[in-house]
PDB file of all heavy atoms in Angstrom:
ATOM      1  N   TRP J   1      91.178 100.156-107.372  1.00 59.00           N
ATOM      2  CA  TRP J   1      91.102  99.185-106.281  1.00 59.00           C
ATOM      3  C   TRP J   1      90.567  99.780-104.989  1.00 59.00           C
ATOM      4  O   TRP J   1      90.233  99.069-104.076  1.00 59.00           O
ATOM      5  CB  TRP J   1      92.447  98.487-106.042  1.00 59.00           C
ATOM      6  CG  TRP J   1      93.574  99.409-105.688  1.00 59.00           C
ATOM      7  CD1 TRP J   1      93.851  99.914-104.477  1.00 59.00           C
ATOM      8  CD2 TRP J   1      94.561  99.908-106.569  1.00 59.00           C
ATOM      9  NE1 TRP J   1      94.946 100.711-104.517  1.00 59.00           N
ATOM     10  CE2 TRP J   1      95.414 100.720-105.807  1.00 59.00           C
ATOM     11  CE3 TRP J   1      94.818  99.763-107.912  1.00 59.00           C
ATOM     12  CZ2 TRP J   1      96.492 101.385-106.356  1.00 59.00           C
ATOM     13  CZ3 TRP J   1      95.898 100.421-108.435  1.00 59.00           C
ATOM     14  CH2 TRP J   1      96.709 101.222-107.676  1.00 59.00           C
ATOM     15  N   PHE J   2      90.481 101.110-104.909  1.00 58.00           N
ATOM     16  CA  PHE J   2      89.920 101.725-103.714  1.00 58.00           C
ATOM     17  C   PHE J   2      88.395 101.768-103.749  1.00 58.00           C
ATOM     18  O   PHE J   2      87.752 101.996-102.752  1.00 58.00           O
ATOM     19  CB  PHE J   2      90.458 103.150-103.536  1.00 58.00           C
ATOM     20  CG  PHE J   2      91.899 103.181-103.112  1.00 58.00           C
ATOM     21  CD1 PHE J   2      92.848 103.772-103.927  1.00 58.00           C
ATOM     22  CD2 PHE J   2      92.289 102.602-101.926  1.00 58.00           C
ATOM     23  CE1 PHE J   2      94.176 103.799-103.540  1.00 58.00           C
ATOM     24  CE2 PHE J   2      93.613 102.618-101.539  1.00 58.00           C
ATOM     25  CZ  PHE J   2      94.558 103.217-102.348  1.00 58.00           C
ATOM     26  N   ASP J   3      87.809 101.543-104.890  1.00 55.00           N
ATOM     27  CA  ASP J   3      86.368 101.645-105.035  1.00 55.00           C
ATOM     28  C   ASP J   3      85.728 100.267-105.229  1.00 55.00           C
ATOM     29  O   ASP J   3      84.929 100.058-106.121  1.00 55.00           O
ATOM     30  CB  ASP J   3      86.032 102.558-106.222  1.00 55.00           C
ATOM     31  CG  ASP J   3      84.565 102.932-106.242  1.00 55.00           C
ATOM     32  OD1 ASP J   3      83.944 102.958-105.165  1.00 55.00           O
ATOM     33  OD2 ASP J   3      84.050 103.190-107.337  1.00 55.00           O
ATOM     34  N   LYS J   4      86.101  99.338-104.353  1.00 60.00           N
ATOM     35  CA  LYS J   4      85.560  97.984-104.476  1.00 60.00           C
ATOM     36  C   LYS J   4      84.227  97.818-103.754  1.00 60.00           C
ATOM     37  O   LYS J   4      83.514  96.874-103.998  1.00 60.00           O
ATOM     38  CB  LYS J   4      86.564  96.971-103.923  1.00 60.00           C
ATOM     39  CG  LYS J   4      87.771  96.813-104.805  1.00 60.00           C
ATOM     40  CD  LYS J   4      88.635  95.701-104.310  1.00 60.00           C
ATOM     41  CE  LYS J   4      89.822  95.535-105.245  1.00 60.00           C
ATOM     42  NZ  LYS J   4      90.687  94.462-104.854  1.00 60.00           N
ATOM     43  N   GLY J   5      83.921  98.697-102.842  1.00 59.00           N
ATOM     44  CA  GLY J   5      82.672  98.573-102.108  1.00 59.00           C
ATOM     45  C   GLY J   5      82.818  97.601-100.946  1.00 59.00           C
ATOM     46  O   GLY J   5      83.883  97.087-100.643  1.00 59.00           O
ATOM     47  N   LYS J   6      81.716  97.353-100.305  1.00 63.00           N
ATOM     48  CA  LYS J   6      81.684  96.475 -99.140  1.00 63.00           C
ATOM     49  C   LYS J   6      81.847  95.017 -99.586  1.00 63.00           C
ATOM     50  O   LYS J   6      81.153  94.564-100.496  1.00 63.00           O
ATOM     51  CB  LYS J   6      80.348  96.661 -98.437  1.00 63.00           C
ATOM     52  CG  LYS J   6      80.173  95.857 -97.193  1.00 63.00           C
ATOM     53  CD  LYS J   6      78.802  96.121 -96.602  1.00 63.00           C
ATOM     54  CE  LYS J   6      78.388  94.932 -95.790  1.00 63.00           C
ATOM     55  NZ  LYS J   6      77.020  94.979 -95.366  1.00 63.00           N
ATOM     56  N   PRO J   7      82.755  94.267 -98.922  1.00 62.00           N
ATOM     57  CA  PRO J   7      82.907  92.857 -99.300  1.00 62.00           C
ATOM     58  C   PRO J   7      81.649  92.058 -98.929  1.00 62.00           C
ATOM     59  O   PRO J   7      80.994  92.322 -97.928  1.00 62.00           O
ATOM     60  CB  PRO J   7      84.111  92.388 -98.485  1.00 62.00           C
ATOM     61  CG  PRO J   7      84.235  93.353 -97.369  1.00 62.00           C
ATOM     62  CD  PRO J   7      83.651  94.656 -97.847  1.00 62.00           C
ATOM     63  N   LYS J   8      81.330  91.093 -99.744  1.00 69.00           N
ATOM     64  CA  LYS J   8      80.141  90.271 -99.512  1.00 69.00           C
ATOM     65  C   LYS J   8      80.458  89.192 -98.475  1.00 69.00           C
ATOM     66  O   LYS J   8      81.468  88.512 -98.565  1.00 69.00           O
ATOM     67  CB  LYS J   8      79.702  89.634-100.828  1.00 69.00           C
ATOM     68  CG  LYS J   8      78.340  89.028-100.768  1.00 69.00           C
ATOM     69  CD  LYS J   8      77.851  88.642-102.141  1.00 69.00           C
ATOM     70  CE  LYS J   8      76.422  88.166-102.030  1.00 69.00           C
ATOM     71  NZ  LYS J   8      75.847  87.859-103.311  1.00 69.00           N
ATOM     72  N   GLU J   9      79.588  89.073 -97.503  1.00 67.00           N
ATOM     73  CA  GLU J   9      79.753  88.078 -96.446  1.00 67.00           C
ATOM     74  C   GLU J   9      79.145  86.757 -96.898  1.00 67.00           C
ATOM     75  O   GLU J   9      78.270  86.721 -97.762  1.00 67.00           O
ATOM     76  CB  GLU J   9      79.055  88.546 -95.158  1.00 67.00           C
ATOM     77  CG  GLU J   9      79.573  89.852 -94.604  1.00 67.00           C
ATOM     78  CD  GLU J   9      80.935  89.732 -93.930  1.00 67.00           C
ATOM     79  OE1 GLU J   9      81.481  88.621 -93.829  1.00 67.00           O
ATOM     80  OE2 GLU J   9      81.448  90.769 -93.506  1.00 67.00           O
ATOM     81  N   ILE J  10      79.559  85.667 -96.269  1.00 63.00           N
ATOM     82  CA  ILE J  10      79.072  84.335 -96.642  1.00 63.00           C
ATOM     83  C   ILE J  10      77.570  84.205 -96.383  1.00 63.00           C
ATOM     84  O   ILE J  10      76.866  83.516 -97.104  1.00 63.00           O
ATOM     85  CB  ILE J  10      79.866  83.227 -95.915  1.00 63.00           C
ATOM     86  CG1 ILE J  10      79.502  81.872 -96.488  1.00 63.00           C
ATOM     87  CG2 ILE J  10      79.640  83.281 -94.427  1.00 63.00           C
ATOM     88  CD1 ILE J  10      80.404  80.760 -96.043  1.00 63.00           C
ATOM     89  N   TRP J  11      77.057  84.895 -95.372  1.00 65.00           N
ATOM     90  CA  TRP J  11      75.640  84.784 -95.060  1.00 65.00           C
ATOM     91  C   TRP J  11      74.788  85.678 -95.961  1.00 65.00           C
ATOM     92  O   TRP J  11      73.574  85.581 -95.944  1.00 65.00           O
ATOM     93  CB  TRP J  11      75.361  85.100 -93.592  1.00 65.00           C
ATOM     94  CG  TRP J  11      75.978  86.363 -93.107  1.00 65.00           C
ATOM     95  CD1 TRP J  11      75.474  87.621 -93.206  1.00 65.00           C
ATOM     96  CD2 TRP J  11      77.229  86.494 -92.455  1.00 65.00           C
ATOM     97  NE1 TRP J  11      76.326  88.522 -92.662  1.00 65.00           N
ATOM     98  CE2 TRP J  11      77.424  87.852 -92.181  1.00 65.00           C
ATOM     99  CE3 TRP J  11      78.215  85.591 -92.072  1.00 65.00           C
ATOM    100  CZ2 TRP J  11      78.558  88.335 -91.550  1.00 65.00           C
ATOM    101  CZ3 TRP J  11      79.342  86.081 -91.444  1.00 65.00           C
ATOM    102  CH2 TRP J  11      79.511  87.424 -91.181  1.00 65.00           C
ATOM    103  N   ASP J  12      75.419  86.538 -96.747  1.00 61.00           N
ATOM    104  CA  ASP J  12      74.683  87.366 -97.703  1.00 61.00           C
ATOM    105  C   ASP J  12      74.401  86.629 -99.006  1.00 61.00           C
ATOM    106  O   ASP J  12      73.566  87.067 -99.793  1.00 61.00           O
ATOM    107  CB  ASP J  12      75.467  88.643 -98.017  1.00 61.00           C
ATOM    108  CG  ASP J  12      75.522  89.591 -96.831  1.00 61.00           C
ATOM    109  OD1 ASP J  12      74.610  89.527 -95.980  1.00 61.00           O
ATOM    110  OD2 ASP J  12      76.471  90.384 -96.752  1.00 61.00           O
ATOM    111  N   GLU J  13      75.096  85.529 -99.218  1.00 67.00           N
ATOM    112  CA  GLU J  13      74.900  84.759-100.446  1.00 67.00           C
ATOM    113  C   GLU J  13      73.549  84.051-100.407  1.00 67.00           C
ATOM    114  O   GLU J  13      73.135  83.531 -99.376  1.00 67.00           O
ATOM    115  CB  GLU J  13      76.012  83.709-100.591  1.00 67.00           C
ATOM    116  CG  GLU J  13      77.391  84.291-100.731  1.00 67.00           C
ATOM    117  CD  GLU J  13      78.471  83.231-100.699  1.00 67.00           C
ATOM    118  OE1 GLU J  13      78.148  82.022-100.641  1.00 67.00           O
ATOM    119  OE2 GLU J  13      79.650  83.614-100.696  1.00 67.00           O
ATOM    120  N   ASP J  14      72.878  84.046-101.525  1.00 67.00           N
ATOM    121  CA  ASP J  14      71.590  83.360-101.611  1.00 67.00           C
ATOM    122  C   ASP J  14      71.814  81.854-101.572  1.00 67.00           C
ATOM    123  O   ASP J  14      72.696  81.327-102.237  1.00 67.00           O
ATOM    124  CB  ASP J  14      70.866  83.721-102.909  1.00 67.00           C
ATOM    125  CG  ASP J  14      70.352  85.150-102.897  1.00 67.00           C
ATOM    126  OD1 ASP J  14      70.083  85.665-101.794  1.00 67.00           O
ATOM    127  OD2 ASP J  14      70.230  85.736-103.984  1.00 67.00           O
ATOM    128  N   VAL J  15      70.989  81.172-100.790  1.00 62.00           N
ATOM    129  CA  VAL J  15      71.029  79.718-100.733  1.00 62.00           C
ATOM    130  C   VAL J  15      70.030  79.197-101.759  1.00 62.00           C
ATOM    131  O   VAL J  15      68.851  79.542-101.717  1.00 62.00           O
ATOM    132  CB  VAL J  15      70.666  79.206 -99.321  1.00 62.00           C
ATOM    133  CG1 VAL J  15      70.663  77.697 -99.288  1.00 62.00           C
ATOM    134  CG2 VAL J  15      71.618  79.768 -98.282  1.00 62.00           C
ATOM    135  N   GLN J  16      70.513  78.411-102.672  1.00 63.00           N
ATOM    136  CA  GLN J  16      69.662  77.852-103.714  1.00 63.00           C
ATOM    137  C   GLN J  16      69.013  76.569-103.185  1.00 63.00           C
ATOM    138  O   GLN J  16      69.647  75.536-103.121  1.00 63.00           O
ATOM    139  CB  GLN J  16      70.487  77.556-104.978  1.00 63.00           C
ATOM    140  CG  GLN J  16      71.147  78.773-105.578  1.00 63.00           C
ATOM    141  CD  GLN J  16      70.143  79.821-106.014  1.00 63.00           C
ATOM    142  OE1 GLN J  16      69.091  79.504-106.554  1.00 63.00           O
ATOM    143  NE2 GLN J  16      70.460  81.083-105.766  1.00 63.00           N
ATOM    144  N   TRP J  17      67.764  76.697-102.765  1.00 59.00           N
ATOM    145  CA  TRP J  17      67.048  75.540-102.237  1.00 59.00           C
ATOM    146  C   TRP J  17      66.509  74.714-103.386  1.00 59.00           C
ATOM    147  O   TRP J  17      66.169  75.255-104.412  1.00 59.00           O
ATOM    148  CB  TRP J  17      65.917  75.993-101.321  1.00 59.00           C
ATOM    149  CG  TRP J  17      66.427  76.698-100.116  1.00 59.00           C
ATOM    150  CD1 TRP J  17      66.476  78.043 -99.925  1.00 59.00           C
ATOM    151  CD2 TRP J  17      67.014  76.122 -98.957  1.00 59.00           C
ATOM    152  NE1 TRP J  17      67.045  78.338 -98.713  1.00 59.00           N
ATOM    153  CE2 TRP J  17      67.383  77.168 -98.092  1.00 59.00           C
ATOM    154  CE3 TRP J  17      67.266  74.817 -98.556  1.00 59.00           C
ATOM    155  CZ2 TRP J  17      67.977  76.957 -96.866  1.00 59.00           C
ATOM    156  CZ3 TRP J  17      67.856  74.620 -97.323  1.00 59.00           C
ATOM    157  CH2 TRP J  17      68.212  75.678 -96.504  1.00 59.00           C
ATOM    158  N   PRO J  18      66.397  73.439-103.273  1.00 71.00           N
ATOM    159  CA  PRO J  18      66.721  72.636-102.092  1.00 71.00           C
ATOM    160  C   PRO J  18      68.194  72.248-102.070  1.00 71.00           C
ATOM    161  O   PRO J  18      68.793  71.962-103.097  1.00 71.00           O
ATOM    162  CB  PRO J  18      65.860  71.389-102.280  1.00 71.00           C
ATOM    163  CG  PRO J  18      65.742  71.245-103.757  1.00 71.00           C
ATOM    164  CD  PRO J  18      65.780  72.637-104.320  1.00 71.00           C
ATOM    165  N   ILE J  19      68.753  72.301-100.876  1.00 76.00           N
ATOM    166  CA  ILE J  19      70.102  71.777-100.659  1.00 76.00           C
ATOM    167  C   ILE J  19      69.971  70.636 -99.664  1.00 76.00           C
ATOM    168  O   ILE J  19      68.998  70.556 -98.926  1.00 76.00           O
ATOM    169  CB  ILE J  19      71.091  72.852-100.143  1.00 76.00           C
ATOM    170  CG1 ILE J  19      70.668  73.408 -98.776  1.00 76.00           C
ATOM    171  CG2 ILE J  19      71.258  73.962-101.148  1.00 76.00           C
ATOM    172  CD1 ILE J  19      71.693  74.342 -98.154  1.00 76.00           C
ATOM    173  N   GLY J  20      70.935  69.772 -99.638  1.00 85.00           N
ATOM    174  CA  GLY J  20      70.893  68.646 -98.714  1.00 85.00           C
ATOM    175  C   GLY J  20      71.176  69.072 -97.287  1.00 85.00           C
ATOM    176  O   GLY J  20      71.704  70.159 -97.033  1.00 85.00           O
ATOM    177  N   ASP J  21      70.810  68.211 -96.362  1.00 86.00           N
ATOM    178  CA  ASP J  21      71.038  68.500 -94.945  1.00 86.00           C
ATOM    179  C   ASP J  21      72.518  68.681 -94.644  1.00 86.00           C
ATOM    180  O   ASP J  21      72.891  69.571 -93.877  1.00 86.00           O
ATOM    181  CB  ASP J  21      70.476  67.370 -94.079  1.00 86.00           C
ATOM    182  CG  ASP J  21      68.960  67.365 -94.048  1.00 86.00           C
ATOM    183  OD1 ASP J  21      68.346  68.347 -94.517  1.00 86.00           O
ATOM    184  OD2 ASP J  21      68.398  66.375 -93.546  1.00 86.00           O
ATOM    185  N   LEU J  22      73.344  67.843 -95.237  1.00 90.00           N
ATOM    186  CA  LEU J  22      74.784  67.925 -94.991  1.00 90.00           C
ATOM    187  C   LEU J  22      75.350  69.242 -95.502  1.00 90.00           C
ATOM    188  O   LEU J  22      76.153  69.894 -94.824  1.00 90.00           O
ATOM    189  CB  LEU J  22      75.489  66.738 -95.640  1.00 90.00           C
ATOM    190  CG  LEU J  22      76.848  66.367 -95.082  1.00 90.00           C
ATOM    191  CD1 LEU J  22      76.791  66.166 -93.593  1.00 90.00           C
ATOM    192  CD2 LEU J  22      77.353  65.106 -95.752  1.00 90.00           C
ATOM    193  N   GLU J  23      74.930  69.645 -96.672  1.00 91.00           N
ATOM    194  CA  GLU J  23      75.397  70.917 -97.235  1.00 91.00           C
ATOM    195  C   GLU J  23      74.915  72.093 -96.381  1.00 91.00           C
ATOM    196  O   GLU J  23      75.644  73.067 -96.170  1.00 91.00           O
ATOM    197  CB  GLU J  23      74.908  71.070 -98.672  1.00 91.00           C
ATOM    198  CG  GLU J  23      75.508  72.266 -99.381  1.00 91.00           C
ATOM    199  CD  GLU J  23      75.066  72.360-100.832  1.00 91.00           C
ATOM    200  OE1 GLU J  23      74.627  71.336-101.399  1.00 91.00           O
ATOM    201  OE2 GLU J  23      75.158  73.459-101.385  1.00 91.00           O
ATOM    202  N   ALA J  24      73.694  72.016 -95.873  1.00 90.00           N
ATOM    203  CA  ALA J  24      73.160  73.067 -95.005  1.00 90.00           C
ATOM    204  C   ALA J  24      73.968  73.148 -93.706  1.00 90.00           C
ATOM    205  O   ALA J  24      74.282  74.245 -93.233  1.00 90.00           O
ATOM    206  CB  ALA J  24      71.692  72.804 -94.700  1.00 90.00           C
ATOM    207  N   ALA J  25      74.323  71.993 -93.149  1.00 92.00           N
ATOM    208  CA  ALA J  25      75.131  71.981 -91.924  1.00 92.00           C
ATOM    209  C   ALA J  25      76.515  72.577 -92.177  1.00 92.00           C
ATOM    210  O   ALA J  25      77.048  73.312 -91.330  1.00 92.00           O
ATOM    211  CB  ALA J  25      75.251  70.558 -91.394  1.00 92.00           C
ATOM    212  N   HIS J  26      77.089  72.281 -93.332  1.00 92.00           N
ATOM    213  CA  HIS J  26      78.399  72.874 -93.689  1.00 92.00           C
ATOM    214  C   HIS J  26      78.275  74.389 -93.843  1.00 92.00           C
ATOM    215  O   HIS J  26      79.161  75.137 -93.423  1.00 92.00           O
ATOM    216  CB  HIS J  26      78.936  72.264 -94.985  1.00 92.00           C
ATOM    217  CG  HIS J  26      79.507  70.903 -94.811  1.00 92.00           C
ATOM    218  ND1 HIS J  26      80.671  70.651 -94.122  1.00 92.00           N
ATOM    219  CD2 HIS J  26      79.061  69.691 -95.236  1.00 92.00           C
ATOM    220  CE1 HIS J  26      80.919  69.360 -94.136  1.00 92.00           C
ATOM    221  NE2 HIS J  26      79.952  68.746 -94.801  1.00 92.00           N
ATOM    222  N   LYS J  27      77.192  74.842 -94.422  1.00 92.00           N
ATOM    223  CA  LYS J  27      76.963  76.281 -94.601  1.00 92.00           C
ATOM    224  C   LYS J  27      76.864  76.965 -93.234  1.00 92.00           C
ATOM    225  O   LYS J  27      77.446  78.034 -93.029  1.00 92.00           O
ATOM    226  CB  LYS J  27      75.687  76.490 -95.418  1.00 92.00           C
ATOM    227  CG  LYS J  27      75.333  77.907 -95.689  1.00 92.00           C
ATOM    228  CD  LYS J  27      75.976  78.384 -96.935  1.00 92.00           C
ATOM    229  CE  LYS J  27      75.408  79.748 -97.304  1.00 92.00           C
ATOM    230  NZ  LYS J  27      76.229  80.442 -98.251  1.00 92.00           N
ATOM    231  N   ILE J  28      76.154  76.349 -92.296  1.00 93.00           N
ATOM    232  CA  ILE J  28      76.022  76.910 -90.949  1.00 93.00           C
ATOM    233  C   ILE J  28      77.384  76.962 -90.267  1.00 93.00           C
ATOM    234  O   ILE J  28      77.736  77.960 -89.639  1.00 93.00           O
ATOM    235  CB  ILE J  28      75.006  76.097 -90.117  1.00 93.00           C
ATOM    236  CG1 ILE J  28      73.600  76.327 -90.667  1.00 93.00           C
ATOM    237  CG2 ILE J  28      75.083  76.462 -88.642  1.00 93.00           C
ATOM    238  CD1 ILE J  28      72.548  75.410 -90.103  1.00 93.00           C
ATOM    239  N   ARG J  29      78.161  75.901 -90.415  1.00 94.00           N
ATOM    240  CA  ARG J  29      79.497  75.892 -89.822  1.00 94.00           C
ATOM    241  C   ARG J  29      80.356  77.017 -90.394  1.00 94.00           C
ATOM    242  O   ARG J  29      81.027  77.738 -89.653  1.00 94.00           O
ATOM    243  CB  ARG J  29      80.179  74.549 -90.055  1.00 94.00           C
ATOM    244  CG  ARG J  29      81.545  74.457 -89.379  1.00 94.00           C
ATOM    245  CD  ARG J  29      82.311  73.241 -89.789  1.00 94.00           C
ATOM    246  NE  ARG J  29      82.587  73.345 -91.220  1.00 94.00           N
ATOM    247  CZ  ARG J  29      82.723  72.307 -92.033  1.00 94.00           C
ATOM    248  NH1 ARG J  29      82.569  71.089 -91.577  1.00 94.00           N
ATOM    249  NH2 ARG J  29      82.999  72.477 -93.304  1.00 94.00           N
ATOM    250  N   ASP J  30      80.299  77.204 -91.703  1.00 93.00           N
ATOM    251  CA  ASP J  30      81.079  78.267 -92.341  1.00 93.00           C
ATOM    252  C   ASP J  30      80.623  79.648 -91.887  1.00 93.00           C
ATOM    253  O   ASP J  30      81.446  80.543 -91.657  1.00 93.00           O
ATOM    254  CB  ASP J  30      80.983  78.155 -93.862  1.00 93.00           C
ATOM    255  CG  ASP J  30      81.658  76.909 -94.407  1.00 93.00           C
ATOM    256  OD1 ASP J  30      82.484  76.301 -93.680  1.00 93.00           O
ATOM    257  OD2 ASP J  30      81.353  76.525 -95.558  1.00 93.00           O
ATOM    258  N   ILE J  31      79.321  79.829 -91.750  1.00 91.00           N
ATOM    259  CA  ILE J  31      78.788  81.114 -91.286  1.00 91.00           C
ATOM    260  C   ILE J  31      79.264  81.402 -89.870  1.00 91.00           C
ATOM    261  O   ILE J  31      79.723  82.510 -89.565  1.00 91.00           O
ATOM    262  CB  ILE J  31      77.241  81.116 -91.357  1.00 91.00           C
ATOM    263  CG1 ILE J  31      76.780  81.173 -92.811  1.00 91.00           C
ATOM    264  CG2 ILE J  31      76.652  82.278 -90.561  1.00 91.00           C
ATOM    265  CD1 ILE J  31      75.296  80.962 -93.002  1.00 91.00           C
ATOM    266  N   CYS J  32      79.169  80.409 -88.994  1.00 93.00           N
ATOM    267  CA  CYS J  32      79.586  80.604 -87.605  1.00 93.00           C
ATOM    268  C   CYS J  32      81.082  80.891 -87.498  1.00 93.00           C
ATOM    269  O   CYS J  32      81.495  81.745 -86.706  1.00 93.00           O
ATOM    270  CB  CYS J  32      79.203  79.389 -86.757  1.00 93.00           C
ATOM    271  SG  CYS J  32      77.421  79.214 -86.529  1.00 93.00           S
ATOM    272  N   ARG J  33      81.876  80.217 -88.280  1.00 93.00           N
ATOM    273  CA  ARG J  33      83.321  80.476 -88.270  1.00 93.00           C
ATOM    274  C   ARG J  33      83.642  81.873 -88.783  1.00 93.00           C
ATOM    275  O   ARG J  33      84.541  82.532 -88.274  1.00 93.00           O
ATOM    276  CB  ARG J  33      84.053  79.431 -89.099  1.00 93.00           C
ATOM    277  CG  ARG J  33      84.150  78.106 -88.413  1.00 93.00           C
ATOM    278  CD  ARG J  33      84.948  77.129 -89.238  1.00 93.00           C
ATOM    279  NE  ARG J  33      85.043  75.853 -88.563  1.00 93.00           N
ATOM    280  CZ  ARG J  33      85.516  74.763 -89.115  1.00 93.00           C
ATOM    281  NH1 ARG J  33      85.956  74.787 -90.366  1.00 93.00           N
ATOM    282  NH2 ARG J  33      85.563  73.635 -88.451  1.00 93.00           N
ATOM    283  N   SER J  34      82.911  82.314 -89.790  1.00 91.00           N
ATOM    284  CA  SER J  34      83.162  83.640 -90.351  1.00 91.00           C
ATOM    285  C   SER J  34      82.795  84.756 -89.380  1.00 91.00           C
ATOM    286  O   SER J  34      83.408  85.813 -89.393  1.00 91.00           O
ATOM    287  CB  SER J  34      82.366  83.827 -91.647  1.00 91.00           C
ATOM    288  OG  SER J  34      82.815  82.950 -92.632  1.00 91.00           O
ATOM    289  N   ALA J  35      81.797  84.523 -88.555  1.00 90.00           N
ATOM    290  CA  ALA J  35      81.336  85.555 -87.625  1.00 90.00           C
ATOM    291  C   ALA J  35      81.984  85.457 -86.249  1.00 90.00           C
ATOM    292  O   ALA J  35      81.706  86.287 -85.380  1.00 90.00           O
ATOM    293  CB  ALA J  35      79.823  85.475 -87.488  1.00 90.00           C
ATOM    294  N   ASP J  36      82.846  84.461 -86.037  1.00 91.00           N
ATOM    295  CA  ASP J  36      83.494  84.275 -84.734  1.00 91.00           C
ATOM    296  C   ASP J  36      84.220  85.524 -84.244  1.00 91.00           C
ATOM    297  O   ASP J  36      84.109  85.891 -83.079  1.00 91.00           O
ATOM    298  CB  ASP J  36      84.503  83.127 -84.785  1.00 91.00           C
ATOM    299  CG  ASP J  36      83.920  81.821 -84.316  1.00 91.00           C
ATOM    300  OD1 ASP J  36      82.775  81.816 -83.827  1.00 91.00           O
ATOM    301  OD2 ASP J  36      84.622  80.799 -84.434  1.00 91.00           O
ATOM    302  N   ASP J  37      84.973  86.172 -85.123  1.00 89.00           N
ATOM    303  CA  ASP J  37      85.752  87.329 -84.702  1.00 89.00           C
ATOM    304  C   ASP J  37      84.854  88.466 -84.216  1.00 89.00           C
ATOM    305  O   ASP J  37      85.134  89.091 -83.188  1.00 89.00           O
ATOM    306  CB  ASP J  37      86.676  87.802 -85.821  1.00 89.00           C
ATOM    307  CG  ASP J  37      85.938  88.160 -87.099  1.00 89.00           C
ATOM    308  OD1 ASP J  37      84.804  87.683 -87.285  1.00 89.00           O
ATOM    309  OD2 ASP J  37      86.504  88.919 -87.917  1.00 89.00           O
TER     310      ASP J  37
END
């Protein structure tokens, strides 16, 4: 468990285009919330 490596961030995940506008807006909201700290 000590050799897990760097955790993957939400913005590192590949976005499978095409996605809808609403889903893209939700993704942006999630990214901004994750980077708030």
Side-chain angles (χ1 to χ4, degrees):
W1 60 82
F2 288 118
D3 192 27
K4 289 187 178 181
K6 182 181 154 190
K8 193 170 186 176
E9 300 286 357
I10 189 169
W11 49 85
D12 291 335
E13 297 173 4
D14 289 333
V15 178
Q16 300 299 320
W17 296 100
I19 62 173
D21 288 349
L22 202 53
E23 188 177 340
H26 283 291
K27 180 89 170 163
I28 290 170
R29 184 190 64 209
D30 293 342
I31 289 171
C32 291
R33 285 183 180 170
S34 295
D36 265 353
D37 58 338

